[in-house]
Amino acid sequence: MSPLPEIAADFTIDDFTPDCSSVEHGATVTLTWKCTVGPDYTIHYGEDEQVAVNDRVDGDGNGSWTSPALTTTTAFLISGASTIAGQPVVHTRSTAVIVATPDMNVGNLSVNGTAALMGTVQTIEPADKYTAGTDGFLHGYVKTTDDTCPAFLSVTITPPGQGSPATISVTSNSAAGGVSNQDGRILAPVPGGSTVHISVQCDAEHSQQLLWVPLGAGTLS
């Protein structure tokens, strides 16, 4: 570790302020401050992020730094470190920025009011590759109109990362309706980020429907 810079007198950090106190999800903020030139300055934020900002301070002691995209309400702390008469001295200032509709990582969650989890239901067609924009459920059926020509519905889900693909297949063998109706139905949970392959096969007239029910705003696209 490099030795702290030595200065002759105590130093100051003032007016550590974001350009916006509240931002939308994914926005950035620019933090500005006024300080004594010379000490080592570091901005700390998030869970354990930090960045040296000495090069963000001009010769008059005006500092400016733009954050990365913010996805949750974030506290920022700037520290200045130096030595005075051989003794280490650290000064800090802090501020915070509120993020609208933030990401959340929680343990146990209890809801006393109304919880809205379901997004807009989307009708989809068989395709070689979809990508799930959020967690959700794939619901569908296939129904043959000819007892001699079964209809097949197959869904393969490959989770993101190193997950192994899982295939669910159902068959409709009978054209009977009413109380004797027999169709092939699927209700499959799909993790967000998964790729999804959907195929329908039948040599006769048949009916089918496939619905994406997201837990959130992500589509299957």
Side-chain angles (χ1 to χ4, degrees):
M1 179 182 294
S2 301
L4 293 175
E6 177 83 26
I7 60 176
D10 202 0
F11 63 95
T12 60
I13 309 172
D14 295 309
D15 301 326
F16 184 52
T17 308
D19 59 348
C20 294
S21 60
S22 178
V23 297
E24 295 299 318
H25 184 280
T28 64
V29 294
T30 297
L31 297 160
T32 57
W33 65 95
K34 181 72 176 178
C35 62
T36 303
V37 176
D40 282 339
Y41 293 102
T42 303
I43 288 179
H44 308 259
Y45 65 98
E47 292 186 4
D48 195 25
E49 302 291 332
Q50 62 182 49
V51 57
V53 290
N54 289 343
D55 59 346
R56 303 292 182 172
V57 179
D58 66 19
D60 295 322
N62 299 302
S64 177
W65 175 78
T66 300
S67 75
L70 302 179
T71 58
T72 187
T73 296
T74 304
F76 296 91
L77 180 144
I78 187 170
S79 64
S82 185
T83 58
I84 300 175
Q87 298 299 313
V89 177
V90 176
H91 291 326
T92 63
R93 293 289 185 271
S94 62
T95 189
V97 175
I98 297 171
V99 174
T101 59
D103 293 348
M104 298 180 66
N105 185 11
V106 301
N108 298 324
L109 177 64
S110 298
V111 179
N112 296 320
T114 300
L117 299 178
M118 297 295 185
T120 301
V121 176
Q122 174 188 355
T123 300
I124 58 175
E125 298 295 331
D128 285 339
K129 183 179 180 181
Y130 285 105
T131 300
T134 185
D135 290 356
F137 294 92
L138 183 63
H139 174 64
Y141 82 89
V142 67
K143 170 72 173 177
T144 186
T145 61
D146 187 335
D147 290 343
T148 66
C149 292
F152 304 94
L153 169 60
S154 178
V155 175
T156 299
I157 301 166
T158 304
Q162 301 301 314
S164 299
T167 298
I168 305 169
S169 299
V170 293
T171 305
S172 171
N173 295 301
S174 172
V179 296
S180 300
N181 181 60
Q182 187 275 318
D183 55 20
R185 292 182 176 268
I186 282 179
L187 178 60
V190 181
S194 297
T195 57
V196 181
H197 170 84
I198 305 169
S199 66
V200 173
Q201 297 178 346
C202 185
D203 293 331
E205 290 291 328
H206 64 280
S207 61
Q208 66 186 48
Q209 185 180 47
L210 295 162
L211 299 176
W212 169 243
V213 184
L215 297 177
T219 62
L220 195 66
S221 58

